[in-house]
Amino acid sequence: MQKKPAVDISSRKIIEYLKIIFIALLIAIEIIICADAYDRVKAFNFYIALACCFILLVLETINSFVFKNFIAKMVFYGLDSAVILTICIFTGNAFMSTIYCIVLTQCYLSVEKFKDKTILFGVSCVIFAVSSIAGYLINNPAMKAVEMTSGILFGLLAIVIDYLVTIFLLKFYRTNLELRAALKEADESRSQLEEAYDQLTQTRVFEERNRIAKDIHDTAGHSMTTVIMQTEAAKLLIDSNPAEAKNRIISANVQARNALEQMRESVHLLAGRGLGKPLKEELEEVIAQTLDGTEIKARYDIAAVQPTQEGYRFIVNSLKELLANGIRHGKATAFYIELKSDGKFITLLVSDNGAGVKGEFKEGFGLKGMREKAESLGGSLNVTSEAGEGFEAEIKVLKEEKKDD
């Protein structure tokens, strides 16, 4: 259940203070009525009016500060009306509309629903008209109908004005409280959002560092393991099969270069440096490093495209892995590399003239991770291979969306 704003508490206190003020006004008006009636009416009428004023004060105090139920308030308001009618009969009509306005305003402050306020207003107008007519007929039977009507209309006008002004002020005040509460909640929400954003930023930093660490472990670590395996194999073959030993050393050299470059990039990322080179230059450098000091050939057609930063790293790492796998596993001696823009995708195609795959093709750990990464970037990985026909991989990733100025 949603908690009410703290400003509601001060709102109730202000309503209580207003009730106290109206009780004080009621006492003041009753004193004026009794003082005015002291010289105009008989002693018996005066004492009856004095007793009624006291009863009205007690009833109004109980109704304002004790009862909260609307039905109970209506019952007490009926008693108030009867007492006011008695005062009107025994003292005349002086200040009766003022008494009604004070009593009604007290009720308006206590009643929440607009419909209930309107019912009170309508009933009060009828009771005021009846009590005024009774008071005029008893105390001023000779008064002309025009004067009586004008007096009643004047009193009704005062009650109508009191109703409209009170409703407007209460609406304005409560709307102001709601706005203050909404602003306070907005400030609290903004503080919570800022705190959550800071935590999210820290989480993203940790996630990025973990991802880079995983890249180092999965790519550079794997490459270094391969280097060790290739050099160990070359040591065993150096006497019996020098040509194969040479190939193993060449493959180890390529893997070592790739591992060194991958670790260098990861360190740069950890240091907060961006990817400085365009993708085209980075891929051409990877190809040059792979071919350097070997008899491996490569033909490539690389377009200047703009992937996301994550797509950039993925394409570069994928090319390194595909070249290394082609050399190490497929014994490839020639490659064809193509990078192009294809609709909303960037496509990397790498094919080689290696041994290919015999029988049913099964993805290893490296290709499976490559496929999952491509799909997480909104793209795909398609591979084809046949025995003696080489190996071909097509990688698609989404382009970087251009932001409007």
Side-chain angles (χ1 to χ4, degrees):
M1 183 179 294
Q2 187 177 5
K3 295 181 179 179
K4 291 185 178 180
V7 290
D8 283 350
I9 299 175
S10 62
S11 172
R12 288 195 294 269
K13 287 183 178 179
I14 291 175
I15 296 297
E16 296 298 320
Y17 293 150
L18 288 175
K19 290 179 180 180
I20 294 173
I21 292 173
F22 280 109
I23 291 294
L25 288 175
L26 179 61
I27 294 173
I29 295 298
E30 287 182 339
I31 292 173
I32 294 173
I33 290 174
C34 292
D36 178 70
Y38 183 78
D39 295 327
R40 290 192 305 105
V41 301
K42 297 177 181 180
F44 176 77
N45 291 358
F46 171 76
Y47 289 119
I48 292 294
L50 185 63
C52 288
C53 287
F54 177 76
I55 294 171
L56 177 63
L57 178 63
V58 173
L59 289 175
E60 189 62 19
T61 303
I62 295 174
N63 194 17
S64 297
F65 297 101
V66 177
F67 292 105
K68 304 297 181 183
N69 183 270
F70 175 70
I71 296 177
K73 286 183 174 295
M74 287 297 293
V75 171
F76 265 77
Y77 181 68
L79 296 175
D80 289 343
S81 300
V83 174
I84 294 174
L85 176 61
T86 304
I87 296 173
C88 182
I89 292 173
F90 282 93
T91 65
N93 295 304
F95 302 103
M96 283 300 106
S97 60
T98 306
I99 289 284
Y100 271 101
C101 289
I102 292 174
V103 172
L104 277 173
T105 304
Q106 287 273 49
C107 292
Y108 296 151
L109 293 176
S110 303
V111 176
E112 293 292 334
K113 295 182 180 179
F114 175 76
K115 178 181 178 182
D116 295 339
K117 291 184 176 70
T118 305
I119 292 173
L120 276 173
F121 165 71
V123 172
S124 300
C125 288
V126 174
I127 294 175
F128 173 76
V130 172
S131 63
S132 296
I133 293 172
Y136 283 132
L137 293 177
I138 294 173
N139 292 280
N140 299 292
M143 180 178 287
K144 295 181 180 180
V146 176
E147 295 179 0
M148 182 187 303
T149 303
S150 63
I152 294 172
L153 291 177
F154 180 80
L156 288 174
L157 179 61
I159 294 174
V160 170
I161 293 174
D162 173 71
Y163 170 76
L164 295 176
V165 171
T166 304
I167 294 299
F168 172 77
L169 292 177
L170 286 175
K171 182 67 176 176
F172 176 80
Y173 176 69
R174 284 171 180 164
T175 302
N176 182 56
L177 288 179
E178 290 174 0
L179 289 175
R180 288 170 55 192
L183 287 174
K184 184 177 179 180
E185 289 180 358
D187 290 338
E188 292 175 353
S189 298
R190 184 182 64 182
S191 300
Q192 292 174 357
L193 286 174
E194 290 177 353
E195 183 179 353
Y197 177 77
D198 292 338
Q199 293 177 353
L200 180 61
T201 302
Q202 294 177 2
T203 301
R204 286 178 175 174
V205 170
F206 291 138
E207 288 178 351
E208 182 66 7
R209 289 180 177 177
N210 289 336
R211 186 198 63 77
I212 295 171
K214 187 176 182 300
D215 282 348
I216 294 174
H217 178 272
D218 292 345
T219 57
H222 176 72
S223 297
M224 294 304 297
T225 301
T226 304
V227 168
I228 294 173
M229 293 175 63
Q230 294 285 11
T231 53
E232 289 293 332
K235 285 167 59 179
L236 297 175
L237 295 171
I238 192 69
D239 294 327
S240 60
N241 192 345
E244 180 63 20
K246 179 181 178 181
N247 288 335
R248 297 294 179 93
I249 293 172
I250 292 172
S251 179
N253 180 266
V254 171
Q255 290 294 326
R257 288 172 182 267
N258 288 339
L260 180 61
E261 184 63 24
Q262 289 164 3
M263 285 190 288
R264 183 181 292 116
E265 289 179 359
S266 298
V267 170
H268 287 173
L269 289 174
L270 282 172
R273 303 177 195 172
L275 300 172
K277 294 181 181 178
L279 180 59
K280 176 179 173 67
E281 294 183 15
E282 184 68 20
L283 295 183
E284 289 175 348
E285 186 173 329
V286 169
I287 296 170
Q289 290 176 354
T290 303
L291 305 182
D292 186 27
T294 70
E295 296 179 357
I296 299 172
K297 306 296 183 183
R299 185 165 60 90
Y300 54 88
D301 182 11
I302 300 175
V305 296
Q306 186 178 12
T308 62
Q309 188 175 30
E310 194 171 2
Y312 179 108
R313 292 195 296 267
F314 174 60
I315 290 173
V316 173
N317 290 337
S318 297
L319 177 60
K320 291 177 181 179
E321 185 169 352
L322 291 171
L323 291 175
N325 288 343
I327 296 171
R328 184 170 66 253
H329 301 301
K331 304 296 188 291
T333 59
F335 290 88
Y336 173 72
I337 301 104
E338 182 184 59
L339 183 72
K340 63 180 181 179
S341 175
D342 183 13
K344 63 178 182 179
F345 294 99
I346 293 173
T347 302
L348 172 67
L349 178 68
V350 180
S351 61
D352 62 51
N353 65 346
V357 179
K358 297 180 181 180
E360 183 180 358
F361 176 76
K362 294 183 179 180
E363 289 184 354
F365 178 77
L367 285 177
K368 182 180 179 182
M370 194 179 297
R371 180 184 299 279
E372 291 175 351
K373 185 64 175 178
E375 291 175 352
S376 71
L377 294 174
S380 60
L381 169 67
N382 295 314
V383 296
T384 56
S385 180
E386 294 182 7
E389 297 295 330
F391 184 90
E392 182 177 277
E394 183 185 60
I395 298 173
K396 290 181 179 289
V397 296
L398 286 174
K399 292 180 182 177
E400 182 178 20
E401 295 183 359
K402 294 183 178 180
K403 297 181 179 180
D404 297 332
D405 293 337

